[in-house]
Amino acid sequence: MNSIPFLGYGAGLRRSHFNEILSSQQFPDWVEIISENYMEYGGKPRQILQHLREKKIPIVAHGVGLSLGSLDPFNTDYIRALKELIAEYDIPWFSDHLCFSSSNRHQYHDLLPILKTAETLEQIADKIKWVEDCFQLPFAIENISYYGESTKHTMSELDFLNELLVKTSSYLLFDINNVYVNSKNLGHDPEEYIKNINHERIIQVHLAGHWDRGDVVIDTHGAPVPGPVWDLYAKFLKLRGKPVSTLIEWDNELPSYDVLLQEVDKAKELATNVLGEHHVGQ
């Protein structure tokens, strides 16, 4: 296993904040980029990444295009462009979702849930091993939100993820908002999930907001982190007993840059209250 640094408390980098970041003296501890928005791009995207590098702000890449659950082979042009991005900006780890987003080379532009069976587990484990061998860099998979269950599942998501981590050298990008959203929509027990997930392989946490309509919760990433998600994050930290690189993910109805940084500060403050100042700075 690679040695994984604790980066602190970060924010997703979004285009509407570029000008504010370029003129600001305040930064999150680190940023996460959507890989596809920066691969083979020049102009303002390249300018902002260069600016952050000069300020010594770590950059982590988070993708939506690997489609690990698809039976299609990886797109060679995509893999080449992703490797170039990672190398150019000294990215310490990268991630993608436990889902499929393409089939028969048709791109769905959505993150669709996989069928959780032993056969699927072996297929995805093999694809992840290929990614690990190709990139020689820590790679993480993210648990997704979804809105229905197949009657053909033979494993729970929790068991599937834990077994996938055993079969590969990959890590987990643990999205606590997704755990909450799925618990409300599908009747999962979120506390059982955070208690029994493989904590030692969690490389990063996502926190985000959602839209609670009452009858269904929509994973919008378009609001502040709500109280129930903060509560789950606190319970997770108590169980883990040590900090993990934590990111505020806000994609829609974006606030000002200052408000986004305030949300990042809330994550650090909560972690300090749970773990103590000394542990948060580790």
Side-chain angles (χ1 to χ4, degrees):
M1 290 290 177
N2 301 75
S3 177
I4 304 300
F6 168 60
L7 299 181
Y9 302 86
L13 181 62
R14 301 298 179 260
R15 183 178 291 272
S16 63
H17 292 143
F18 281 4
N19 289 337
E20 291 176 278
I21 291 171
L22 288 169
S23 63
S24 176
Q25 298 302 312
Q26 301 296 319
F27 304 94
D29 293 339
W30 60 287
V31 300
E32 179 187 79
I33 61 173
I34 303 300
S35 306
E36 292 78 7
N37 291 344
Y38 297 86
M39 290 159 51
E40 300 186 310
Y41 277 87
K44 206 64 169 286
R46 180 174 295 271
Q47 180 188 4
I48 197 75
L49 294 188
Q50 294 287 23
H51 179 72
L52 290 169
R53 283 191 68 189
E54 290 170 4
K55 298 295 183 181
K56 301 189 184 305
I57 306 298
I59 300 165
V60 169
H62 181 52
V64 296
L66 276 178
S67 194
L68 292 168
S70 171
L71 294 178
D72 294 347
F74 291 122
N75 182 299
T76 54
D77 290 336
Y78 177 91
I79 294 296
R80 173 191 52 76
L82 180 57
K83 290 185 78 170
E84 289 174 356
L85 175 75
I86 286 171
E88 183 169 2
Y89 294 103
D90 299 321
I91 287 171
W93 70 77
F94 69 114
S95 61
D96 209 302
H97 301 77
L98 182 61
C99 73
F100 72 98
S101 55
S102 63
S103 180
N104 295 320
R105 301 193 181 279
H106 177 77
Q107 192 72 33
Y108 295 115
H109 302 288
D110 205 349
L111 305 177
L112 302 172
I114 59 168
L115 187 65
K116 294 180 279 291
T117 66
E119 181 180 12
T120 306
L121 179 69
E122 294 298 332
Q123 291 168 348
I124 294 178
D126 286 344
K127 293 190 81 170
I128 289 175
K129 290 173 185 175
W130 186 93
V131 170
E132 292 167 345
D133 289 342
C134 178
F135 284 83
Q136 295 294 305
L137 190 75
F139 173 66
I141 49 176
E142 179 184 0
N143 56 299
I144 69 166
S145 61
Y146 52 100
Y147 300 91
E149 294 278 25
S150 170
T151 59
K152 298 185 182 297
H153 290 317
T154 60
M155 305 173 71
S156 70
E157 180 182 86
L158 177 63
D159 290 341
F160 191 98
L161 270 171
N162 279 339
E163 189 63 25
L164 195 57
L165 295 173
V166 168
K167 289 182 174 292
T168 67
S169 298
S170 63
Y171 294 86
L172 178 63
L173 193 174
F174 193 40
D175 192 312
I176 292 178
N177 181 61
N178 288 350
V179 171
Y180 177 80
V181 168
N182 292 347
S183 76
K184 298 295 286 185
N185 291 332
L186 303 171
H188 298 170
D189 183 341
E191 295 193 22
E192 178 188 6
Y193 200 123
I194 65 172
K195 178 181 178 182
N196 293 300
I197 195 69
N198 187 335
H199 284 240
E200 293 305 312
R201 299 287 282 280
I202 295 174
I203 195 174
Q204 179 185 334
V205 160
H206 272 175
L207 301 173
H210 53 253
W211 179 27
D212 191 339
R213 293 182 47 187
D215 58 335
V216 65
V217 180
I218 308 296
D219 181 27
T220 60
H221 298 178
V225 179
V229 176
W230 286 125
D231 291 343
L232 280 178
Y233 179 53
K235 290 173 181 177
F236 163 76
L237 290 174
K238 287 177 184 176
L239 288 166
R240 180 178 171 85
K242 57 184 178 180
V244 61
S245 300
T246 297
L247 184 113
I248 300 297
E249 195 177 28
W250 202 324
D251 298 315
N252 298 295
E253 304 293 332
L254 283 161
S256 69
Y257 180 58
D258 287 342
V259 170
L260 180 64
L261 291 181
Q262 290 171 19
E263 198 79 348
V264 174
D265 288 341
K266 287 182 185 178
K268 184 173 183 178
E269 181 180 359
L270 186 151
T272 302
N273 291 337
V274 172
L275 299 172
E277 188 73 44
H278 171 70
H279 292 291
V280 169
Q282 287 181 341

